[in-house]
Every structure is written in C-alpha cells, then in structure tokens.
Amino acid sequence: MRHPPRSVLLAVSGAVALVGAMTIPVVAAQGATPACTVEYSVTSQWDTGFQGSVTITNNSAAVSSWSLAFDFAGGQKVTQGWNAKWSQSGTTVTAANESWNGALGTGASVSAGFLGSRSGTNAVPTSFKLNGTTCNVDSQPPTDPTDPTDPPDPGDGTAPALHVSGNKLVDAGGATRRLLGVNRSGGEFMCVQGYGIWDGPVDDAAIKAIADWKANTVRIPLNEECWLGLSNIKPEYGGANYIAAVKDLVARVEAHGMTPVVELHWSYGQYTGNSAGCSDAHATCQKPMPDMQYTPSFWSSVASTFKDDQAVAFDLFNEPYPDRATSTTTQAWQCWRDGGTCPGISYEVAGMQDLVDSIRGTGAKNLILAGGLAYSNDLSQWLTYKPADPTGNLAAAYHVYNFNTCASESCWNSTLAPVAAQIPLVAGEIGENTCSHAFVDQVIKWFDDRNLSYLGWTWNTWDCSSGPSLISNYDGTPTSYGIGLRDHLRALNG
C-alpha cells in the first residue's frame, strides 16, 4: 500500500521506540587529532556469522579516493558488503570506495557495512589503515564484543513455528493455521525520513491492543537502508538501533502469541518510469522491484538474525510492479523471478529467486511469502514462475483493495483459486478507501470460505480514506472501516 503524505503522518505520529546501539569503537584517539579515525561496529551476531560496519573519518587533507585495510584475528571472513568494494586476502580485509563515494574531505565521514562468517570468538580488529596511514592507534588492548544478538526472545512460547504442508500452513504439531491479523506500518518510512523508527507506540500495551482484536498475526514493514545502517540514515534510527527495535517488536508480538511477518517494504534503486513513487534512488518509496546492490544483503542479515526462531515469517518484497516498466507480461514475470537487467528499470534487479537463495543460504528455514505483479494484486502466472525453494516452505502473497484490478469474486475464482489449490495463499494486505468495510467484508468471506489467510491494512491512526487506517487510537479503538475486521476476528476467535 502506498502511504499518505508525510504531513499527515507527522501529525499523527506518537511515541518512538529506540534501543541502544551495539557500537564498538576499537580505539579512541588521545592527545593530538589522528590523521584518520575508524569506528568498527558489530551490528548483529549469530552462531556462524555477523554483520559489521566501519565509519571512517578523514582528519587530514581531502582525498578523492580511499581504501581502508584491517586484519581479522579470529578467522572471520567477509562474505558480502555494501557502500564499498570489499575483498579479503588471508586475514587482511580491504574496503575501497565505490565510484560515487570516493571524495572524502577534511572532517568528512563515510560508512560501509558487510556480512561475515566466523567460528568461535569474534575478535575486534586492532589496527586500521586509510590509504596506508595508520588510524587512531590506542594503547588500550582490544576486547571481544559481547554478543549483541542472542537468539530472539520467543516470548511466552505460544507463537507457532509455521511450515508449509501441501496448500496449508501448519504448526509443529501438524495443526492447520491461518494468518489473521493486521499490518503495523511505520518501520518502512519513519527512519528514512529521519523522524524515528516506529509511527506511534509499539510497547506492550500497544501490542496487547492488537491481540485484543483476536488477531494472531502482525506484519511489520521494514526499510533495507535503515536495517543495513547506510550513511544516509541517522545513526540513532539505523543499523544496530533499528535492528534492536525490530527484534524487540518481534519479541513482543510473539509474547502475545501472534506470528510476526517481517517484510521488505522500501528499497534502494532509482526509478522514474511509469507509476514511479519518487525520483530518489534511496529507499524513500515503493520501487518496482528489489535491488541487487542491497536487498540480498538485507535478507541475508534478517534471515541470520531470526533463523533460530521459526515463528518469524519473511515477506520478500511488498508490492512488485515490474509490469509497469516492461513492455510485455512475460518480461515482467521473468524480471520478477530472475532479476538482472530488466527492461524499463535502470538499476540491477534482485529477483525473487535471488532473495530466496539469500535467505536459505544462511540456513534459515523460516516460512517465506512472495507477492506477485501489479502491486501483489496479480498472481495469474505465479505458479509458472514460482521460485525454487529447497525447503519447500514458500507461500504466495496477495494484496487487494477496492481500487485494484483484481478486486472481484470472478477474478479471485479465476486467478487466486488455482494458486490456493496448490500452495498456501496469504492476503498480506486487504483494505478499502471508503471509510466503511463493505468491500473488505466480501474479501473476508471469499477467503474464509477457503480457509485462507488475510491481514488488514493498517494498524496506524491515519485517515481511514487515505491510509486506510483500522484504528483511531492505539488502544484499539476502530475506525468505521476497521470495525468490520475487528468484529469479524473476534467472532472467529473469541
């Protein structure tokens, strides 16, 4: 779903949840200002790998290009990175500038991040060289970082670990489960706009209010630049702070017995073609497809963070629309699955297969959802272009609003029913812009009749016609639109 104007969001934004960052300065300059300073951070860490970043500050004469070198002492290996050209020879790691961030003036800083593998300890590098000059040497011995990402808190253990069985979702005991709940928007836009992490409160009382509607699922839209902590994001809202906030929200959702669905909503890549949401290359609007530059790294990191928690589901990309850029439907579906150079899209695209591979490459077996074309409203060839998943734990995602093309029972019968007959089908977003619920009632009935899943857009206090918003207050007070979903969920699960 596209979002209301920022002025609307700012008028209704409430408390912002922030969590302290796990940033580990390797050394601190003492006395005279060093020629360069480097801060090394472990953003997240798991049993066989970690996510790290470096922030370089040039305190001497301006340079037009830069190269940072340091050594790992614990057998770590860089596997992929962003904002720099990363390489490793033996224990020595080199991060060289990209073509667009080589200029580093006096006092200027640049940040770059990476994913790495490890075994045993994750010792902090002790020395850094920028263009051959040693940075911020300190007499204090380095210390190993504490583990900032213990396995996510499973709450009270009532959130089910889901997997695909035929065309159903089932829990660990084999019981059929439906995902019935809401979206909790905010994590996709607040951070990149520089206002916080969440739009409104996400404390325990706020999450309990969702559970009181008898919802069993909360979909959580995210922003890849904020998760990766790219340099255009305010540090207090990106990287370690952002990841910690997401983990805390996931834990609170699970503590109330609900399934968290973490989803990539906004991503990098400049697109100015048909139906463009913005001209900015940064993750400030919905793009037609995910990008190869950052999205695989995003999903590798997210999957590594949550792979020990099978209650967390992954929704690959909010609303693909390569069909608005390409000239044929075949080209659009090929772009959707395979990525690469897609007609009409200027950046290199990461296809759904690339993203499935990024997740499974971490060892994560969590449930994956993949939406189709036309803002996830078209699943007509989803089965033909279905990505390969070695775990078989893949479901189709679908979005429907009263203003979409496929918004009638006849279309659902012809395009959705064949998909639902073979694999689980989840309507990740349902809604209408009428400030009533007559259309949503029709959607719910069709999905109920087939024991399928659906999630209302959205649990935010915006205007019900421009959001559309389910609530007028974070205590769960419904809008005239939201009351339909609330009463139905309570009737089903009360």
Side-chain angles (χ1 to χ4, degrees):
M1 177 69 189
R2 295 197 178 191
H3 302 276
R6 187 171 66 187
S7 59
V8 176
L9 303 181
L10 293 179
V12 298
S13 61
V16 176
L18 292 177
V19 182
M22 173 54 70
T23 301
I24 308 161
V26 179
V27 286
Q30 299 179 358
T33 302
C36 49
T37 56
V38 175
E39 283 194 349
Y40 177 98
S41 300
V42 174
T43 308
S44 62
Q45 184 168 284
W46 52 98
D47 52 355
T48 60
F50 66 106
Q51 178 177 333
S53 69
V54 290
T55 298
I56 306 162
T57 302
N58 176 32
N59 298 318
S60 55
V63 296
S64 59
S65 64
W66 53 266
S67 178
L68 179 74
F70 60 88
D71 286 291
F72 279 137
Q76 304 99 317
K77 298 287 185 182
V78 171
T79 57
Q80 57 183 294
W82 51 93
N83 275 12
K85 297 173 182 176
W86 291 87
S87 61
Q88 184 169 349
S89 176
T91 62
T92 301
V93 176
T94 301
N97 65 273
E98 297 280 8
S99 60
W100 44 267
N101 66 354
L104 201 56
T106 304
S109 298
V110 64
S111 295
F114 66 93
L115 296 177
S117 63
R118 71 184 185 96
S119 60
T121 61
N122 191 12
V124 173
T126 59
S127 179
F128 298 86
K129 289 187 176 182
L130 180 66
N131 293 350
T133 300
T134 301
C135 300
N136 55 339
V137 176
D138 189 277
S139 59
Q140 297 298 316
T143 58
D144 287 355
T146 57
D147 188 344
T149 56
D150 293 328
D153 182 358
D156 61 4
T158 59
L162 300 175
H163 66 274
V164 171
S165 178
N167 67 343
K168 304 294 183 185
L169 295 176
V170 299
D171 61 23
T176 299
R177 296 277 187 158
R178 299 169 67 194
L179 302 182
L180 303 172
V182 302
N183 286 260
R184 180 61 177 90
S185 182
E188 73 274 37
F189 63 85
M190 288 291 284
C191 56
V192 75
Q193 293 175 355
Y195 297 109
I197 295 179
W198 309 116
D199 176 44
V202 292
D203 57 11
D204 187 70
I207 304 309
K208 181 179 183 298
I210 299 176
D212 287 344
W213 274 32
K214 301 303 179 182
N216 67 18
T217 303
V218 179
R219 183 170 176 258
I220 305 169
L222 301 181
N223 185 297
E224 71 181 20
E225 292 188 337
C226 299
W227 181 280
L228 294 173
L230 300 190
S231 58
N232 58 299
I233 306 299
K234 290 182 178 180
E236 59 266 38
Y237 305 140
N241 281 334
Y242 187 83
I243 292 171
V246 173
K247 289 177 62 181
D248 281 357
L249 178 53
V250 164
R252 281 192 289 275
V253 168
E254 291 187 354
H256 286 278
M258 298 184 290
T259 296
V261 179
V262 293
E263 171 259 321
L264 176 57
H265 212 84
W266 283 2
S267 56
Y268 185 86
Q270 188 166 40
Y271 174 73
T272 57
N274 187 23
S275 300
C278 60
S279 59
D280 190 359
H282 289 296
T284 56
C285 69
Q286 180 68 48
K287 303 298 171 67
M289 283 293 290
D291 63 291
M292 183 59 78
Q293 185 169 350
Y294 294 121
T295 309
S297 296
F298 166 85
W299 274 117
S300 291
S301 179
V302 171
S304 295
T305 299
F306 293 113
K307 68 179 181 179
D308 293 327
D309 184 1
Q310 294 294 297
V312 181
F314 301 148
D315 190 347
L316 293 179
F317 190 66
N318 178 46
E319 293 184 342
Y321 60 98
D323 47 297
R324 301 295 181 93
T326 60
S327 58
T328 70
T329 300
T330 296
Q331 287 178 337
W333 279 105
Q334 289 173 341
C335 177
W336 179 85
R337 183 189 62 193
D338 301 330
T341 302
C342 296
I345 301 176
S346 60
Y347 57 89
E348 185 178 3
V349 168
M352 298 301 138
Q353 188 64 64
D354 294 313
L355 305 188
V356 171
D357 292 346
S358 294
I359 291 171
R360 298 307 182 215
T362 69
K365 299 179 180 179
N366 304 58
L367 172 68
I368 293 177
L369 310 179
L373 303 186
Y375 303 96
S376 293
N377 186 242
D378 177 9
L379 301 188
S380 59
Q381 296 188 46
W382 196 99
L383 292 174
T384 301
Y385 289 90
K386 174 185 177 183
D389 178 10
T391 72
N393 210 18
L394 181 68
Y398 173 72
H399 293 185
V400 63
Y401 294 86
N402 59 308
F403 46 81
N404 286 143
T405 300
C406 186
S408 65
E409 187 171 350
S410 61
C411 185
W412 303 334
N413 288 337
S414 62
T415 63
L416 297 188
V419 176
Q422 295 193 37
I423 60 168
L425 174 62
V426 179
E429 293 183 16
I430 64 172
E432 59 185 289
N433 61 358
T434 64
C435 285
S436 66
H437 52 85
F439 174 74
V440 163
D441 290 346
Q442 297 174 33
V443 176
I444 286 173
K445 183 181 187 306
W446 194 90
F447 276 71
D448 278 346
D449 288 347
R450 292 156 182 81
N451 291 315
L452 302 175
S453 302
Y454 47 84
L455 308 174
W457 183 272
T458 175
W459 192 272
N460 296 77
T461 56
W462 309 334
D463 183 89
C464 59
S465 65
S466 61
S469 299
L470 295 165
I471 56 171
S472 59
N473 189 290
Y474 286 103
D475 64 4
T477 301
T479 60
S480 53
Y481 150 68
I483 196 169
L485 180 63
R486 185 200 67 176
D487 290 353
H488 188 74
L489 292 177
R490 287 180 173 177
L492 282 178
N493 303 314

